[in-house]
Amino acid sequence: MTDTLDDKTRTELEAAVYRRLVEHLRTRTDVQNIDLMNLAGFCRNCLSNWMKDAADAKGLPMTKDESREIVYGEPYDQWRAKHQKEATPEQKAAFQKSSTGH
């Protein structure tokens, strides 16, 4: 199937998947970033960093705060105040054990 997709269509599908993933993560505020890092090796901050990297590669001006707002749907500090919890000792230990350098 992917062999029959032209580049424009493939990019549109990938963009739709990305938007759906971001929307899903916005609704799952119960899932903490450390949980995502421990299980999947990436989190919302990684997504926002990848967004900024892509903008930088295209020569588009984007700050870290702007890329985080794209992913979080609101300013990062505001999201943190509403949803981020202190990591448990178990979560921190798991992160140290599986840390990928993020």
Side-chain angles (χ1 to χ4, degrees):
M1 171 74 179
T2 57
D3 294 341
T4 62
L5 292 177
D6 61 81
D7 286 344
K8 181 179 182 298
T9 302
R10 183 181 52 79
T11 298
E12 289 170 354
L13 293 174
E14 290 168 348
V17 169
Y18 168 79
R19 287 188 297 269
R20 187 170 178 181
L21 171 62
V22 167
E23 186 58 35
H24 179 76
L25 290 173
R26 286 179 186 171
T27 64
R28 290 299 311 269
T29 57
D30 60 310
V31 178
Q32 298 293 296
N33 280 335
I34 195 164
D35 296 324
L36 290 169
M37 286 299 298
N38 287 342
L39 293 172
F42 80 99
C43 68
R44 293 170 183 89
N45 289 336
C46 297
L47 287 175
S48 69
N49 291 340
W50 300 339
M51 174 66 75
K52 182 171 179 352
D53 291 347
D56 290 347
K58 290 275 191 189
L60 300 171
M62 180 179 289
T63 67
K64 187 174 183 176
D65 288 338
E66 290 169 334
S67 67
R68 283 188 171 182
E69 190 164 342
I70 289 168
V71 170
Y72 285 91
E74 62 186 306
Y76 178 57
D77 289 339
Q78 187 176 323
W79 187 92
R80 285 180 55 203
K82 289 194 295 189
H83 305 292
Q84 187 168 311
K85 297 173 177 61
E86 180 66 31
T88 67
E90 295 80 13
Q91 288 171 316
K92 290 176 184 178
F95 180 76
Q96 288 300 319
K97 185 177 178 184
S98 69
S99 182
T100 59
H102 288 276

